[in-house]
Amino acid sequence: MTRPLPFEIIGPARTGRWLVTCDHASNRVPDDIAVDGICGLGLPPAEMARHIAYDIGARGVTVALSELLDSPAIASTFSRLVIDPNRGADDPTLVRKIYDGTIIPANRHADSAEITRRIDTYYRPYHDTYEALAARRADTVIVAVHSFTPQLKSRPRRPWQIGILSAYDKRLTDPLIAAMETSPALLAAADRLGERLCIGNNEPYDGWFAGDAIDQHALHKGRLNVLIELRSDLIETPDAQRHWAHLLAPILHDTLVRIDL
């Protein structure tokens, strides 16, 4: 039986400058992950449908942005609870044992040999392909698409519709935030939600983990980059995913033209 690839390439023949990425695109658990002899992580379907397993709506936005920017995209095809491609290979949260109050049974007793096997089977093939796509042009710009839950357990509701994450390379992110904050289309979208437009600068997370995907493929290579977090309740349906991609694509394109890098 052929094992599915741990990545999906979208629009491989597209020639645009962008590479759109989705590290947490899927909540699929491969058949070689099991607990007590039963395939799966040992979590009920309701838990696997939560943000702990994947970034809700992010893949659909990625697919639409890839088309609108005429650029290829890469998306993971395994749950981040199997192994997290947006962490360094030595990060202690690479294979989580607990996430937002939920214990992950199949990871609870995962030893170093099992973690190494998952790195070799899922993590490295994903990153090798990611780098090959990024290297197809000398001027590649990476836009990573993620989503965040509106509210973690026992935490206040998050006010942002969009978060823009960055580390020390602000060449694209700072102009992009400024453009988003004054975008008539985004202001109108927030108004329709009955909200004030709120763009998070390194919110709801810090913009850098040593060895994460942007660190590996953008910062260490000098590539322009931005990581976009969308609040997941805004992109739960295919129509909503396309809608937000259509809002974002012109701002991404125009900002890149304006900074002329």
Side-chain angles (χ1 to χ4, degrees):
M1 184 175 180
T2 303
R3 176 187 289 129
L5 291 172
F7 55 84
E8 171 190 15
I9 300 174
I10 300 150
R14 292 173 181 155
T15 58
R17 185 177 173 186
W18 300 88
L19 173 62
V20 190
T21 70
C22 193
D23 300 325
H24 300 146
S26 175
N27 61 354
R28 184 181 73 89
V29 180
D31 290 342
D32 61 358
I33 308 295
V35 59
D36 296 330
I38 300 172
C39 291
L41 289 164
L43 294 174
E47 291 286 356
M48 291 304 300
R50 292 180 62 215
H51 71 98
I52 63 171
Y54 73 127
D55 280 357
I56 294 165
R59 182 188 175 277
V61 176
T62 297
V63 170
L65 276 179
S66 171
E67 180 179 359
L68 293 167
L69 297 172
D70 190 30
S71 297
I74 183 171
S76 65
T77 60
F78 55 92
S79 172
R80 66 165 148 222
L81 295 180
V82 172
I83 191 165
D84 193 334
N86 196 34
R87 293 292 183 269
D90 59 352
D91 191 294
T93 64
L94 182 68
V95 176
R96 286 181 180 263
K97 299 180 185 299
I98 186 169
Y99 194 177
D100 194 23
T102 296
I103 294 172
I104 318 304
N107 295 347
R108 192 172 183 179
H109 302 295
D111 59 15
S112 59
E114 172 60 11
I115 292 171
T116 297
R117 186 189 73 81
R118 295 188 197 183
I119 289 172
D120 292 342
T121 306
Y122 303 103
Y123 182 93
R124 283 213 176 94
Y126 175 79
H127 280 288
D128 288 348
T129 304
Y130 188 140
E131 180 57 31
L133 287 167
R136 80 197 194 287
R137 292 180 56 143
D139 61 351
T140 293
V141 183
I142 295 174
V143 53
V145 179
H146 291 255
S147 71
F148 63 93
T149 188
Q151 186 171 6
L152 292 173
K153 290 181 179 179
S154 304
R155 301 286 183 89
R157 183 172 173 83
R158 291 162 162 173
W160 311 279
Q161 295 91 19
I162 303 171
I164 300 297
L165 274 55
S166 61
Y168 49 82
D169 183 356
K170 310 285 188 179
R171 292 175 294 168
L172 177 57
T173 54
D174 282 356
L176 187 65
I177 290 170
M180 286 182 168
E181 288 176 337
T182 58
S183 163
L186 289 180
L187 287 164
D191 187 61
R192 286 192 294 271
L193 294 168
E195 301 177 7
R196 179 179 63 86
L197 179 63
C198 192
I199 308 295
N201 186 348
N202 278 339
E203 298 286 0
Y205 313 111
D206 183 70
W208 179 73
F209 290 96
D212 68 11
I214 288 291
D215 189 36
Q216 289 186 50
H217 302 290
L219 299 178
H220 281 209
K221 306 287 185 175
R223 294 176 179 128
L224 287 171
N225 66 91
V226 60
L227 190 155
I228 299 176
E229 292 269 2
L230 291 162
R231 205 175 71 208
S232 63
D233 62 316
L234 303 179
I235 53 170
E236 290 177 337
T237 67
D239 284 348
Q241 292 152 20
R242 287 189 292 269
H243 171 68
W244 280 88
H246 277 270
L247 292 174
L248 293 172
I251 304 173
L252 287 164
H253 174 270
D254 292 349
T255 302
L256 185 59
V257 170
R258 188 167 62 255
I259 64 175
D260 192 27
L261 291 174

